[in-house]
Amino acid sequence: MTGNTEDNLPRNENRLEGPAHKRNMTRRKVVVGGGAAVIGVGAAGALAMTASADEASDTADTASASASSTTEACYQLTSETTEGPYYIDADKLRQDITEDKEGIPLTLKLKVIDSETCKPVAGAAVDVWHCDALGLYSGYESLSQGGGTAPTDAPTGEPPTGQPTGEPPTGGGGGGGHEEPTSDTRYLRGTWKTDKKGCVTFTTIFPGWYQGRCVHIHTKVHVDGEWTDAGYEGGHTCHTGQFFFEEEAVLLTEEVDPYATSTTTRTLLTEDTIYDQSGTTGGLLKLKYNKNNIAKGVTASLTMGVAPDETNDGTS
């Protein structure tokens, strides 16, 4: 990674390459309850005295199971996805990644935990990047094409043109090999450090859509590096994934400018080739917003279960 001095948190990471290791995807549980059963005996005690040893054992097992009802289920490992062609090694260390882009305000609240132990992963570097309201990625405007609205110098009253011209990007922003940036823009991209609770928050806008993909946000989590005055150094990428949005919310954005000016047919969440349809495990965000006025803003949250000791850079 390359770093700068913005927000006094420069960063530089040498990403380790290598295939992602396989991991047990089953739900792991941490037992936090327990205790022995206490069996009360009445004054006469006749019933307790005539109970068989097996019956007493069954009663104790039932009490033990009840005590175990406080078991805390650990999160599943969050789905890994491809990096996509539009990743830029983070050179914007900031929480507010909006710059001057128009769109519905979005507060993205993330938590990173070790899926094996459920403990928060503190001091991790979290990257997020996504397209603007019309489907354009910073650094790649000429490749990502966007939603195809009318040019700014079009005659008054002339409707937007049809579908964007040219070939769609390889992999639709979800797959394919990495592309080199074609511009110096870096809006809607940023990196920040998780706190001691494994949490990090970004301020941005609700993403738009483009040909072949549903609405989504890309992310990477880097660990085992060191935050210094020169930046984030060393370490490796333990998670590469994407966040997704429920259809109900996306439908509401279609009525709000500038999303409403898009001429691109939107790919539904159920049609997307990257989302694995597994809910929060697959990156589906939990959303809060006013259904009568989504333009006021949306808060999205998700806990990511990662494998800190593994390398998942999304390039395999």
Side-chain angles (χ1 to χ4, degrees):
M1 292 185 182
T2 56
N4 65 6
T5 58
E6 185 168 348
D7 292 321
N8 296 319
L9 278 175
R11 165 181 171 224
N12 185 12
E13 176 200 6
N14 296 319
R15 187 173 60 224
L16 299 181
E17 300 294 336
H21 300 293
K22 299 295 183 182
R23 191 166 219 227
N24 184 353
M25 296 294 188
T26 58
R27 183 176 296 273
R28 300 173 176 86
K29 296 185 177 181
V30 179
V31 178
V32 296
V38 177
I39 304 175
V41 179
L47 292 178
M49 291 173 64
T50 57
S52 69
D54 288 341
E55 289 173 334
S57 177
D58 290 343
T59 303
D61 289 343
T62 300
S64 178
S66 177
S68 297
S69 64
T70 55
T71 296
E72 178 183 351
C74 191
Y75 291 86
Q76 287 180 302
L77 195 67
T78 301
S79 300
E80 300 291 334
T81 70
T82 58
E83 176 185 280
Y86 304 140
Y87 175 60
I88 299 176
D89 212 354
D91 57 0
K92 288 291 186 182
L93 303 174
R94 58 190 180 177
Q95 289 179 277
D96 188 340
I97 65 175
T98 309
E99 292 195 14
D100 59 351
K101 303 306 292 185
E102 295 183 358
I104 297 170
L106 176 69
T107 300
L108 182 62
K109 296 183 176 181
L110 306 172
K111 183 174 183 178
V112 183
I113 65 169
D114 184 327
S115 66
E116 182 98 21
T117 66
C118 288
K119 293 181 179 179
V121 180
V126 179
D127 298 334
V128 294
W129 72 100
H130 62 84
C131 70
D132 68 7
L134 295 179
L136 294 176
Y137 278 91
S138 62
Y140 297 94
E141 290 87 351
S142 62
L143 296 177
S144 51
Q145 297 297 325
T149 57
T152 56
D153 58 352
T156 303
E158 183 174 312
T161 58
Q163 293 292 334
T165 58
E167 293 296 321
T170 302
H178 176 73
E179 297 283 352
E180 290 301 315
T182 58
S183 78
D184 294 330
T185 59
R186 295 295 184 269
Y187 53 81
L188 306 179
R189 298 177 181 273
T191 303
W192 202 253
K193 179 181 181 180
T194 57
D195 62 20
K196 64 182 180 180
K197 295 182 179 180
C199 298
V200 63
T201 299
F202 292 94
T203 300
T204 183
I205 63 169
F206 202 102
W209 55 91
Y210 50 92
Q211 186 175 346
R213 288 301 315 279
C214 69
V215 177
H216 64 280
I217 294 175
H218 293 265
T219 189
K220 280 181 178 284
V221 179
H222 312 275
V223 295
D224 290 340
E226 183 180 1
W227 292 90
T228 70
D229 291 340
Y232 187 76
E233 301 178 346
H236 65 279
T237 304
C238 71
H239 174 68
T240 300
Q242 296 182 28
F243 305 128
F244 301 94
F245 295 80
E246 63 186 38
E247 280 295 315
E248 183 179 7
V250 178
L251 282 170
L252 292 174
T253 68
E254 291 182 340
E255 305 300 320
V256 180
D257 285 336
Y259 309 89
T261 65
S262 175
T263 61
T264 297
T265 301
R266 185 171 60 80
T267 297
L268 303 179
L269 183 66
T270 54
E271 301 170 334
D272 193 75
T273 58
I274 302 298
Y275 176 54
D276 63 11
Q277 312 299 322
S278 64
T280 54
T281 300
L284 186 65
L285 293 162
K286 296 179 180 180
L287 306 180
K288 292 183 180 181
Y289 57 92
N290 185 335
K291 294 183 179 181
N292 296 319
N293 188 7
I294 196 172
K296 292 183 64 177
V298 176
T299 297
S301 61
L302 187 73
T303 295
M304 290 184 283
V306 304
D309 56 339
E310 298 179 7
T311 296
N312 293 297
D313 58 19
T315 60
S316 301

